[in-house]
Amino acid sequence: METKRVVVNPDGTFTSAYDEAVQLLKAGEVVAFPTETVYGLGGVATSDAAVAKIYEAKGRPSDNPLIVHIGTIEEIDRYVIDVNDKAKKCMDAFWPGPLTVICKVKPNVLSEKVTAGLDTVGLRMPSHPVSLQLLRHLGEPVAAPSANRSGKPSPTEGIHVEEDLAARIPMIVDGGATGIGVESTVIDCTLDIPTILRPGGVTKEMLEAVIGEVHQPTHLEQKEGAPKAPGMKYTHYAPNAPVYMIEKDEEKIQSAIQALHKENKKVALLAPENYACEQADYFFSFGQDTQEEMALHLYHALRACDATDADIVLATATTTDGVGSAIMNRLEKSAGGNWYK
């Protein structure tokens, strides 16, 4: 299969590329497109055949549910039922935007492959002009996980999608670099206390300001039971070389690199710009020393490691305040929970 990458204006200005993408989606094919978080790999969520192609292209386990993307608020009642007040408040406050809301799925509408056999589904309305243009032009729900091979770092540029999925999908709508850099927050509003299943750009603090108490389980708590949202069960976001988290401490970083060099290991260091270390064989910057910069550069830096012959990747950790919880969630999964000692 030949993969066509079509560059479009990030502001969503309509071009014939949208017609082409819509025709492919209506024909049961999959198309990659940008959201404000990462690039998604979309297929019409009511089609078993289309959803199967998503799993096939990604090499994704079929018990890992998919998020359904919609383009207008009026579509909600077509796909979910019993939407409670807290779910509605979340949608009103954060849509369009990087928040996925878990609701009870409407029976016999969406493909069962989307929900992985669960009675719930995650709905989201992205705010990226390109994804909104595509969804509104299509007028159907689109199941769309990140557009990468399963387990690899998520794509934040069209070229990343091409690197992972060339010859596996027919089309990439390239709208430039994404804005946030980590996937959407997923909140389960079917529980008595709304619970964050995956942290992201919409933080616990932001949610609590709108709906009151919100629970955010630990990494170990999330591993128990069937996953209700993407990213809860399997190792994700990992480059080829093993990743280890390390404290953001210059002496500890230098000491670790020296010790690894004695073992004849080449080291890639991922850290904020001001923690660059000449001893590292490779250095990839998280940008300035802020969580927003780190979130934006995280996947790009992890992907860059695969173009090196590094034997090990050291990635500096951050606090779990605000969007830091999303960053640490992704780093822990990339590193399999391992810290350098």
Side-chain angles (χ1 to χ4, degrees):
M1 178 189 298
E2 181 182 353
T3 300
K4 182 177 182 180
R5 180 158 66 95
V6 181
V7 178
V8 298
N9 195 314
D11 69 5
T13 302
F14 187 82
T15 69
S16 60
Y18 292 98
D19 282 329
E20 188 175 351
V22 164
Q23 288 171 7
L24 284 167
L25 289 166
K26 285 185 176 292
E29 287 293 343
V30 293
V31 172
F33 59 92
T35 74
E36 73 279 17
T37 56
V38 299
Y39 272 73
L41 178 62
V44 174
T46 55
S47 166
D48 284 342
V51 176
K53 288 180 181 179
I54 296 173
Y55 284 110
E56 182 181 1
K58 284 179 61 69
R60 180 186 177 99
S62 60
D63 65 342
N64 206 358
L66 302 177
I67 289 168
V68 173
H69 296 64
I70 58 175
T72 64
I73 203 79
E74 289 76 21
E75 294 173 68
I76 294 171
D77 292 339
R78 299 182 199 171
Y79 312 118
V80 295
I81 56 175
D82 302 332
V83 181
N84 59 40
D85 287 342
K86 289 185 177 180
K88 290 176 182 176
K89 286 180 179 179
C90 286
M91 294 170 183
D92 289 342
F94 301 107
W95 281 10
L99 181 69
T100 295
V101 183
I102 300 283
C103 300
K104 291 287 184 183
V105 68
K106 194 170 188 175
N108 306 315
V109 177
L110 300 175
S111 166
E112 289 187 5
K113 295 179 184 294
V114 169
T115 59
L118 299 171
D119 63 355
T120 56
V121 69
L123 273 191
R124 150 162 147 79
M125 187 191 302
S127 62
H128 195 293
V130 172
S131 50
L132 276 180
Q133 175 75 269
L134 179 60
L135 289 164
R136 290 171 180 175
H137 194 46
L138 175 67
E140 296 190 52
V142 171
S146 55
N148 56 296
R149 289 290 285 170
S150 188
K152 302 303 289 181
S154 299
T156 54
E157 298 179 24
I159 190 65
H160 296 162
V161 182
E162 193 169 53
E163 289 168 357
D164 275 13
L165 300 180
R168 290 179 171 272
I169 64 174
M171 186 176 184
I172 301 166
V173 180
D174 188 340
T178 60
I180 294 174
V182 292
E183 293 84 353
S184 63
T185 302
V186 178
I187 185 167
D188 188 349
C189 286
T190 68
L191 304 173
D192 291 337
I193 300 175
T195 298
I196 294 174
L197 304 185
R198 182 179 72 187
V202 177
T203 66
K204 181 175 186 283
E205 295 82 0
M206 292 164 69
L207 288 162
E208 287 186 328
V210 173
I211 59 172
E213 184 183 2
V214 171
H215 176 53
Q216 185 163 326
T218 65
H219 182 55
L220 289 176
E221 286 175 322
Q222 285 188 347
K223 282 188 171 183
E224 298 177 1
K228 294 182 76 174
M232 291 182 66
K233 185 174 180 181
Y234 299 96
T235 299
H236 282 65
Y237 323 119
N240 294 331
V243 177
Y244 288 84
M245 292 177 286
I246 191 167
E247 289 180 45
K248 199 164 53 177
D249 180 289
E250 290 183 4
E251 288 187 8
K252 290 184 179 180
I253 292 169
Q254 290 176 0
S255 176
I257 293 172
Q258 289 171 2
L260 288 164
H261 279 169
K262 288 180 181 178
E263 299 175 16
N264 295 317
K265 293 185 183 296
K266 289 188 176 181
V267 182
L269 173 64
L270 279 54
E273 195 67 50
N274 55 317
Y275 284 82
C277 178
E278 293 182 359
Q279 292 176 304
D281 299 280
Y282 304 98
F283 175 73
F284 299 108
S285 173
F286 284 150
Q288 301 302 310
D289 196 4
T290 68
Q291 290 181 334
E292 290 74 19
E293 285 272 305
M294 189 173 179
L296 184 62
H297 291 92
L298 177 62
Y299 290 144
H300 194 283
L302 286 168
R303 280 183 165 270
C305 295
D306 283 347
T308 74
D309 59 351
D311 299 299
I312 190 168
V313 177
L314 296 179
T316 56
T318 186
T319 68
T320 55
D321 298 334
V323 76
S325 63
I327 296 166
M328 287 303 294
N329 171 271
R330 304 324 191 264
L331 273 180
E332 285 175 349
K333 290 181 184 297
S334 178
N338 294 319
W339 286 76
Y340 181 79
K341 297 178 181 177

